[in-house]
Amino acid sequence: MNPREIIDGIQWMGAVDWHRRLFDALIPLPDGTSYNAYLVRGARKTVLLDTVDPAMGDVLMRQLEPVQNLDYVVSHHTEQDHSGMLPAVLDKYPGATLLCTSKAKPMLIEHLGVDAERIRTMADGEELDLGGRTLRFVSTPWVHWPETMVTYLPEDRILFSCDFFGSHLATSALFAGEDPYVLEAAKRYYAEIMMPFRRIITNNMQKLRDLDIDYIAPSHGPVFDQPRTILAAYEDWVSPRVANQVVLPYISMHGSTQMMVDHLVAALVDRGVGVRPFELSTTDIGMLAMALVDAATLVIGTPTVHVGPHPSVVSATHLANALRPKLRYAAVIGSYGWGTKAVEHISGLIPQLKVELLGTVVCKGMPREEAFAALDTLADTIRDKHAGLNDAG
Ligand code: FEO
C-alpha cells in the first residue's frame, strides 16, 4: 500500500499484513493486522514515528524512497513489530536522531544493536519543535512493555499511541469511522495485550484525559477519527465494573463434564445470569480473552487426565491467570473415572486472580441427581453474588 495522507503534512506509512494469522506464535489474528508508521513534516524538521515488522520492511523502505531527509525517528515501543526496521531506517538517514524514553534506550541497544550515539532520550512531557508543529512525548508505561510512550501533536490534536488503542485488523480503510467491528477488534486486542496492565493503564488514561484529541493514530489497525468512542471503551474496560456474566471454558472427554456444563448453563440462564461456554478443543482463545474483559465469574470445567486437569484446561487456566481480568468469583466443575486431584491443580494455577472461590462440583463417572443438585446450588450462589455486583463495583 502507498502512503496515505491523514491531514496535510502528516502521512500514514506502513504495511497491511492481510494474511498473518498468529502473533507471538500464540495470539490468533482472524483479521490479520497492520504495522503503522507515520511521517510528520514541520516547517523545519521531518520525523518518522515508528517503523514496521521486518517481515514487511521492504514496504516501508519503498515508501521512504522519495523522502530525502529525516531529522528524527521516534520509537514509542521496542517490540520488533514497530522497532524492527529502525536499524535500516537509521542506515538510510545517517543524520537522523532516534528519540525514545530512557527505559527504551538500553532495550533498543540490546534488542536491535542500535548505536547509543544515535539515541536521544525524551523525558515525560518534553516537547520537540518541528517548526509550526510540536511533538510532546508522554510516558505511558506498560502499553505494552515498561518503556512505552505516546506522542501528542497539539497543533493538529493527534495522538500517536503505538500499541495503546490498537487493533489487529487488516483493512483498506485508513479511518475507523463508526465501524463497530473496529471496536470489537480493539477489545480483542485490549484483552490479549493490555488487560494484564489494567491498573497502570488507568493511570495512563488519566494522563490523556485533558488532551484535546481529534485523531488517535495507533500502530495497529485504522486511525480513530472519532476518538471519543475508543476512549470511552477503554475507560469501561479498565474500570472496576464487572458484568452479570459467567465465562465457562471447559473440555469433556466422554460426555460427563459436558452434561454438567449443559446443566449449569441452563441453571444460570434460568436465574438471569449471562453465560459464555467455550469448548476448548475448538475455541478461539482470543474470544475467550474478550469474554474475560467484563465477566464477574469464571467457572472452569474439566475431566480428569492422569489424576490432574485436562491439558487444554490447564492452558486456558494459565492464560486466564496471566491476563489478570477483573473477575470477582471462580468455581470448578468436572468429572473423573477413578481418582482426581484436578481441583487442587487448578486452584494452584490461578494465584494472580483475586477471586472468591464459590465452590466445586466434581463427580465420579456420569453425573446424577446429586451432582445436578450441587450445580443448581452453585448457580444459586452465583446469582446471589452477582446481585450485589453494582454495589461492590
Ligand atoms: Fe505491537 Fe507490543 O507490539
Side-chain angles (χ1 to χ4, degrees):
M1 211 171 278
N2 294 320
R4 290 176 290 176
E5 190 173 83
I6 297 175
I7 59 172
D8 186 33
I10 299 182
Q11 283 181 314
W12 173 92
M13 288 191 170
V16 177
D17 200 340
W18 299 96
H19 305 298
R20 188 166 179 177
R21 285 294 172 265
L22 209 55
F23 203 87
D24 292 344
L26 172 69
I27 298 167
L29 300 179
D31 303 300
T33 190
S34 68
Y35 318 108
N36 306 336
Y38 297 95
L39 189 74
V40 177
R41 295 182 190 276
R44 295 193 308 276
K45 304 288 184 185
T46 301
V47 182
L48 181 71
L49 301 161
D50 292 316
T51 67
V52 302
D53 193 292
M56 300 194 79
D58 58 324
V59 178
L60 177 66
M61 298 313 284
R62 203 165 49 241
Q63 292 167 343
L64 286 171
E65 276 172 16
V67 178
Q68 296 296 317
N69 178 60
L70 278 185
D71 298 284
Y72 300 101
V73 182
V74 171
S75 176
H76 290 118
H77 178 22
T78 310
E79 194 166 14
Q80 289 87 341
D81 51 327
H82 311 293
S83 69
M85 289 303 290
L86 285 174
V89 171
L90 292 172
D91 278 352
K92 177 174 169 62
Y93 300 100
T97 300
L98 180 58
L99 308 177
C100 63
T101 64
S102 57
K103 277 191 180 158
K105 181 175 179 179
M107 295 172 76
L108 288 165
I109 295 168
E110 287 156 3
H111 287 274
L112 296 151
V114 174
D115 179 356
E117 299 297 316
R118 301 287 302 270
I119 299 175
R120 174 177 158 192
T121 60
M122 306 304 286
D124 186 19
E126 192 170 346
E127 295 188 343
L128 184 72
D129 180 10
L130 308 181
R133 284 193 159 118
T134 310
L135 299 184
R136 184 187 307 161
F137 303 98
V138 181
S139 171
T140 50
W142 295 105
V143 287
H144 111 257
W145 284 3
E147 86 296 4
T148 42
M149 68 174 183
V150 299
T151 298
Y152 180 59
L153 202 170
E155 290 84 357
D156 301 298
R157 296 176 297 284
I158 301 179
L159 182 73
F160 299 96
S161 61
C162 201
D163 274 355
F164 204 6
F165 308 116
S167 56
H168 281 313
L169 189 59
T171 170
S172 58
L174 177 59
F175 296 110
E178 294 183 332
D179 184 350
Y181 194 69
V182 178
L183 204 59
E184 177 154 336
K187 185 174 186 180
R188 175 188 275 264
Y189 188 90
Y190 167 81
E192 295 168 336
I193 310 287
M194 301 284 165
M195 190 156 59
F197 314 114
R198 182 170 63 86
R199 292 178 198 287
I200 299 170
I201 292 174
T202 304
N203 298 338
N204 290 336
M205 294 290 294
Q206 182 68 38
K207 294 177 88 168
L208 305 182
R209 219 161 265 153
D210 295 332
L211 299 180
D212 192 9
I213 299 173
D214 284 351
Y215 298 92
I216 293 178
S219 292
H220 296 291
V223 173
F224 290 97
D225 50 342
Q226 298 179 34
R228 295 299 137 201
T229 309
I230 185 69
L231 288 168
Y234 260 74
E235 294 281 7
D236 180 49
W237 298 335
V238 302
S239 80
R241 288 186 297 278
V242 288
N244 176 24
Q245 284 277 340
V246 170
V247 173
L248 207 174
Y250 75 98
I251 282 283
S252 186
M253 291 159 60
H254 298 294
S256 296
T257 302
Q258 183 70 59
M259 289 170 69
M260 298 176 76
V261 167
D262 291 344
H263 188 92
L264 182 60
V265 168
L268 289 167
V269 172
D270 286 347
R271 288 159 179 76
V273 178
V275 57
R276 295 282 306 274
F278 291 93
E279 201 284 311
L280 291 170
S281 69
T282 55
T283 201
D284 168 350
I285 60 165
M287 296 297 287
L288 172 61
M290 280 174 75
L292 289 169
V293 170
D294 310 301
T297 297
L298 174 68
V299 177
I300 297 165
T302 186
T304 298
V305 179
H306 299 313
V307 188
H310 190 284
S312 296
V313 175
V314 171
S315 175
T317 306
H318 178 81
L319 178 73
N321 182 65
L323 293 178
R324 282 179 271 173
K326 50 188 177 184
L327 293 162
R328 304 260 180 89
Y329 309 107
V332 183
I333 66 172
S335 59
Y336 62 98
W338 43 265
T340 185
K341 294 283 186 189
V343 171
E344 291 88 334
H345 282 222
I346 287 174
S347 299
L349 289 172
I350 52 173
Q352 297 191 128
L353 298 184
K354 305 304 177 197
V355 290
E356 178 185 346
L357 289 169
L358 299 181
T360 60
V361 182
V362 179
C363 73
K364 188 174 183 179
M366 203 164 59
R368 294 182 171 79
E369 214 166 283
E370 191 179 337
F372 292 134
L375 290 167
D376 287 336
T377 301
L378 177 59
D380 286 340
T381 305
I382 292 171
R383 175 200 57 202
D384 294 346
K385 290 288 185 183
H386 283 201
L389 287 177
N390 290 336
D391 301 339

